Amino acid sequence: MTEVASSVGHFGEPFFMDRPGGLDDPFADLARYRQDCPVYYHPALDQWFVFRYDDVAALLRDERLSADRMKGFVDQAPEAVRGDLRSIEPLLRSWVLMRDGADHARLRKLINIGFNATAVQALLPCIEQAANTLLNGLEGRPASTSAQTTPSCCRPMCSRTSSACRRRIVTASCSGRSTSSTSSTSSRSPSTAPRA
């Protein structure tokens, strides 16, 4: 039997991410770690946690570090799922969160076409219409029914919203609009901006 690493955190109690409900309201825990343990290695997850903004911002700009989380990921996964992971690894490697440098900046620029403040504001009527339609579908259900856990509400809402975003990105890309013509982002260069 494989031994499971302890989930005890720096303060001798369960690490808040391992505690049931720990992520529901993590702010007191985050403040405590920021104050007394700003960099913490958690053996149960085999991960480092960095809690202070300035430290995180510095790490995001440090070229010695990489966003490529796929390096070694497949080989470290349980043998039973390695084949499946290898088949989707090229897709995962293409995600903006897994890219560094010029590749990351290029993908982030494309994403920004559909996800800047102006573009998201333009989606508001579509989002409101989708929400109202789906909420109207909940009428007549027992009061104890949670819209959060209702598959007939949550999945369609996400799907309709992401479809509207995709249409916006494709329309802007096909019309030749650049990020600068639709964006209200800061003037920081991609090399100094935190990754999306």
Side-chain angles (χ1 to χ4, degrees):
M1 177 180 239
T2 306
E3 185 178 332
V4 177
S6 168
S7 68
V8 174
H10 173 75
F11 300 104
E13 57 199 37
F15 188 49
F16 70 97
M17 289 186 68
D18 298 334
R19 196 172 59 233
L23 292 177
D24 292 345
D25 185 12
F27 303 107
D29 290 304
L30 291 171
R32 189 176 180 195
Y33 273 89
R34 265 194 314 273
Q35 176 67 36
D36 299 324
C37 185
V39 178
Y40 169 65
Y41 175 75
H42 189 48
L45 296 175
D46 191 25
Q47 290 184 0
W48 287 93
F49 291 84
V50 180
F51 294 98
R52 291 182 180 159
Y53 176 85
D54 289 340
D55 295 335
V56 172
L59 289 171
L60 289 172
R61 289 189 300 269
D62 192 323
E63 293 182 8
R64 295 173 298 171
L65 302 177
S66 173
D68 185 356
R69 295 164 184 85
M70 296 307 298
K71 289 180 181 171
F73 175 73
V74 173
D75 295 330
Q76 292 175 4
E79 191 172 340
V81 298
R82 284 184 200 154
D84 291 336
L85 287 175
R86 279 198 178 86
S87 69
I88 63 169
E89 184 180 9
L91 173 66
L92 297 176
R93 282 187 179 278
S94 71
W95 292 1
V96 69
L97 292 174
M98 305 288 189
R99 308 303 292 223
D100 290 313
D103 273 345
H104 177 85
R106 177 183 58 82
L107 292 170
R108 184 173 174 170
K109 184 176 179 180
L110 290 172
I111 290 170
N112 193 45
I113 293 171
F115 290 99
N116 61 66
T118 304
V120 172
Q121 189 66 33
L123 291 171
L124 196 56
C126 176
I127 294 169
E128 287 176 343
Q129 180 184 5
N132 288 333
T133 300
L134 294 168
L135 289 172
N136 289 340
L138 293 176
E139 285 184 25
R141 293 195 183 190
S144 62
T145 302
S146 168
Q148 269 189 328
T149 59
T150 305
S152 62
C153 191
C154 289
R155 280 201 184 112
M157 184 66 200
C158 293
S159 176
R160 290 177 189 189
T161 303
S162 63
S163 292
C165 291
R166 279 195 303 275
R167 283 193 302 273
R168 166 86 172 134
I169 291 170
V170 169
T171 302
S173 297
C174 292
S175 68
R177 280 188 273 168
S178 70
T179 309
S180 59
S181 65
T182 59
S183 173
S184 60
T185 59
S186 72
S187 60
R188 289 190 294 180
S189 69
S191 62
T192 61
R195 294 187 177 111

